[in-house]
Amino acid sequence: MAAAPVWSVDPRTGKQREQVAVEATAQEVDAAVRAAHAARASLADRTVRAAFLRTAAEQLQAAKDQLVEVADAETALGPVRLTGELARTCYQLRAFADIVDEGAFLDVVINHPDDTATPPIPDLRRYKVPLGVVAVYSASNFPFAFSVPGGDTASALAAGCPVVVKAHPDHPALSELVAIVLRRAAAEHGIPEGVLGLVHGFEAGVELVKHPLVTAAGFTGSVRGGRALFDAAAARPVPIPFHGELGSLNPVLITEAAAAERAETIGAGLAGSMTLGVGQFCVKPGLVLAPAGDAGDRLLKSLTDAVSDVDSGVLLDHRMRDNFLAGVAERAELPDVESPVTAGAGGEHTVSPGFLTVPAGKLAVEGEHDLLLEECFGPLTVVARYEDEDEAKSVLSRLPGNLTATVHVSGEEAAEGGRGPELLAELTPLAGRVLVNGWPTGVAVAAAQHHGGPYPATTSTSTSVGGTAIERWLRPVAYQGAPEALLPPELRDDNPLGLPRRFNGVLER
């Protein structure tokens, strides 16, 4: 494949700013993967690994001013948003360092022989080991949290897996700078720089997922791009796990009682959520089921007033802007679709937010309105107004998998004996995170978090946020009948590393 220049582009003007690198050739991808593969042993010591993650967080924070400046120049997301995202990314690195120190993620289980069992149990010792080199595909909309230093990279390194990142073309200069910081942190602990590879270019991304030394991949992006890589991962002579986040509509169900109770509050909250970050969040509410009638009218008025007050903004690149404008126009032209606030071009390089309304019955059956059940990336949502509960349920039954699903209920519905459990049961099959009386934008980095969902939200049942994201890059192995002298220290009876474990059926901490 031919090497082409990689440019940093200003989304506010669409003009090239500077050449950052060149697209990686197949030989350069191979070299990056082999360097990462050679660095595996340097991550074997959990103490070193945890210290590396903490140093990476410290050095990213120390370089904050430069990193935020470059990130804003390439994404137009603004210093406030980017500073917060960088802080979240550093917190995530430190959180994974704590997980590595604790060691529970190894899932150590030891069974001594038991001849009285049926069948007899031999000496068995089980734990988890790192898969190997992980390919990470950066996201456009989170230049820190889902890119070079983001959750896929942090969790893979925490698992003991070297990483090769395919940089996103929307922030190549930032990607290079962050890679330098992470490699410098690695060097402080005697870890080779090859532990974090970085490549640019579409073809490089394809070569990466096909490389025989790559053992797993993490992706955040579009359905089209993610599905192509997912299929390539499965078509390899040795298929590999592909943990992809592809797309999500994030439906919201507003009950009639909730709308009657607080229509104005819900309308204003919806406006804030759907326009946050110029609508460029993977968990933006893209479809809202709201009741017809007076309460629904009040909600729409509140939504109209709030969205009308939101300024136009810059999308991450002009391709996304073009796709957004085309998507809005195509949806607005459908029969019975209205635009109380018209989304569109806010200026030569900006877009203005808006929303569409449609009778829910148009979405309850297959037809030309199915386009409204597809994600439109940007500050747009669709409000489907239902006449009764059966109509709302019919729409929900047609939805694909999602990252989130939200229900707004009244105080009575949420109380003991109310219909809240029934509504949660309706939404649970649709998503990996179900919210009550809240909004899905904002994904906390926490042990109980799950950021994933049924396809096409993600291609696996795993999460990409929270401590259990580390599980994607590990595989279990059991040793049978091995003498103590041959066992890794994690599996020895005297537990020299002080690990949490299950020992002969008893949980030890």
Side-chain angles (χ1 to χ4, degrees):
M1 58 190 171
V6 175
W7 293 87
S8 176
V9 177
D10 186 345
R12 295 177 175 92
T13 64
K15 294 181 179 179
Q16 293 176 342
R17 296 176 60 248
E18 58 183 322
Q19 183 177 333
V20 175
V22 294
E23 294 186 355
T25 64
Q27 293 75 21
E28 289 167 334
V29 172
D30 178 66
V33 173
R34 292 188 182 280
H37 183 72
R40 289 174 301 152
S42 66
L43 294 175
D45 188 320
R46 287 189 301 116
T47 302
V48 171
R49 209 187 308 166
F52 166 36
L53 292 171
R54 291 191 177 97
T55 300
E58 291 168 5
Q59 295 201 4
L60 286 170
Q61 196 63 46
K64 176 187 68 175
D65 292 345
Q66 181 188 18
L67 294 177
V68 167
E69 181 181 359
V70 173
D72 185 42
E74 290 190 312
T75 67
L77 289 173
V80 174
R81 149 72 194 274
L82 290 166
T83 298
E85 187 186 329
L86 179 58
R88 167 212 167 109
T89 302
C90 293
Y91 173 83
Q92 186 165 242
L93 285 163
R94 294 186 181 102
F96 275 115
D98 291 342
I99 288 169
V100 172
D101 279 338
E102 181 194 57
F105 73 97
L106 294 170
D107 286 342
V108 176
V109 182
I110 295 175
N111 283 123
H112 283 166
D114 184 357
D115 292 336
T116 66
T118 306
I121 296 173
D123 187 276
L124 285 169
R125 293 149 192 266
R126 178 186 187 273
Y127 77 150
K128 291 180 177 178
V129 297
L131 289 174
V133 179
V134 171
V136 170
Y137 294 81
S138 291
S140 62
N141 56 339
F142 283 91
F144 293 117
F146 283 86
S147 294
V148 177
D152 287 349
T153 296
S155 58
L157 292 172
C161 296
V163 171
V164 178
V165 180
K166 190 274 181 186
H168 197 280
D170 280 350
H171 35 82
L174 178 68
S175 298
E176 289 286 340
L177 282 174
V178 169
I180 290 171
V181 173
L182 295 183
R183 289 167 182 159
R184 188 167 61 230
E188 282 198 20
H189 300 280
I191 299 172
E193 289 188 353
V195 75
L196 182 87
L198 182 68
V199 297
H200 298 266
F202 175 82
E203 292 297 333
V206 176
E207 291 289 336
L208 186 57
V209 80
K210 292 180 178 179
H211 197 287
L213 293 180
V214 168
T215 60
F219 171 91
T220 303
S222 68
V223 174
R224 180 180 178 184
R227 184 54 195 255
L229 291 170
F230 179 44
D231 291 345
R236 291 168 38 131
V238 178
I240 59 172
F242 184 88
H243 301 285
E245 180 189 322
L246 309 188
S248 185
L249 197 60
N250 304 302
V252 177
L253 172 63
I254 302 167
T255 69
E256 186 171 5
E261 185 178 85
R262 55 183 195 284
E264 290 74 19
T265 301
I266 293 174
L270 172 57
S273 185
M274 60 155 286
T275 62
L276 185 66
V278 202
Q280 298 175 109
F281 284 82
C282 53
V283 288
K284 178 202 76 176
L287 176 69
V288 181
L289 286 161
D294 292 342
D297 290 343
R298 286 169 45 217
L299 190 155
L300 284 191
K301 182 181 185 307
S302 174
L303 178 62
T304 298
D305 293 343
V307 172
S308 298
D309 287 340
V310 177
D311 293 334
S312 60
V314 178
L315 294 184
L316 290 158
D317 61 41
H318 273 241
R319 176 185 57 82
M320 290 183 186
R321 181 178 183 274
D322 292 342
N323 289 341
F324 175 73
L325 296 179
V328 170
E330 189 176 4
R331 287 164 173 79
E333 291 173 358
L334 293 171
D336 301 305
V337 171
E338 297 180 357
S339 300
V341 180
T342 302
E348 186 178 358
H349 303 290
T350 60
V351 297
S352 57
F355 69 96
L356 305 173
T357 62
V358 65
K362 298 293 181 181
L363 304 179
V365 294
E366 184 176 355
E368 60 184 338
H369 289 83
D370 284 359
L371 179 62
L372 300 177
L373 302 182
E374 297 178 13
E375 180 183 13
C376 183
F377 193 74
L380 177 79
T381 197
V382 175
V383 179
R385 304 196 64 180
Y386 62 87
E387 296 292 339
D388 53 43
E389 290 182 16
D390 288 341
E391 194 170 64
K393 289 181 178 180
S394 295
V395 176
L396 291 174
S397 71
R398 300 197 61 232
L399 297 186
N402 291 271
L403 294 170
T404 72
T406 300
V407 61
H408 281 265
V409 294
S410 67
E412 183 178 346
E413 290 171 321
E416 190 71 33
R419 58 192 292 259
E422 170 195 339
L423 295 169
L424 288 186
E426 193 76 30
L427 294 179
T428 297
L430 295 178
R433 180 162 58 107
V434 180
L435 296 91
V436 179
N437 291 347
W439 299 104
T441 37
V443 184
V445 179
Q449 184 60 271
H450 187 83
H451 189 63
Y455 186 87
T458 52
T459 59
S460 71
T461 58
S462 301
T463 179
S464 61
V465 179
T468 53
I470 196 173
E471 296 172 0
R472 297 174 295 169
W473 321 120
L474 300 162
R475 69 174 181 87
V477 59
Y479 294 94
Q480 180 172 332
E484 282 267 326
L486 300 185
L487 289 169
E490 291 88 350
L491 297 180
R492 294 181 182 175
D493 280 351
D494 61 351
N495 197 9
L497 302 181
L499 294 170
R501 63 182 186 173
R502 187 168 291 279
F503 190 80
N504 289 328
V506 177
L507 186 63
E508 298 180 345
R509 294 193 178 276

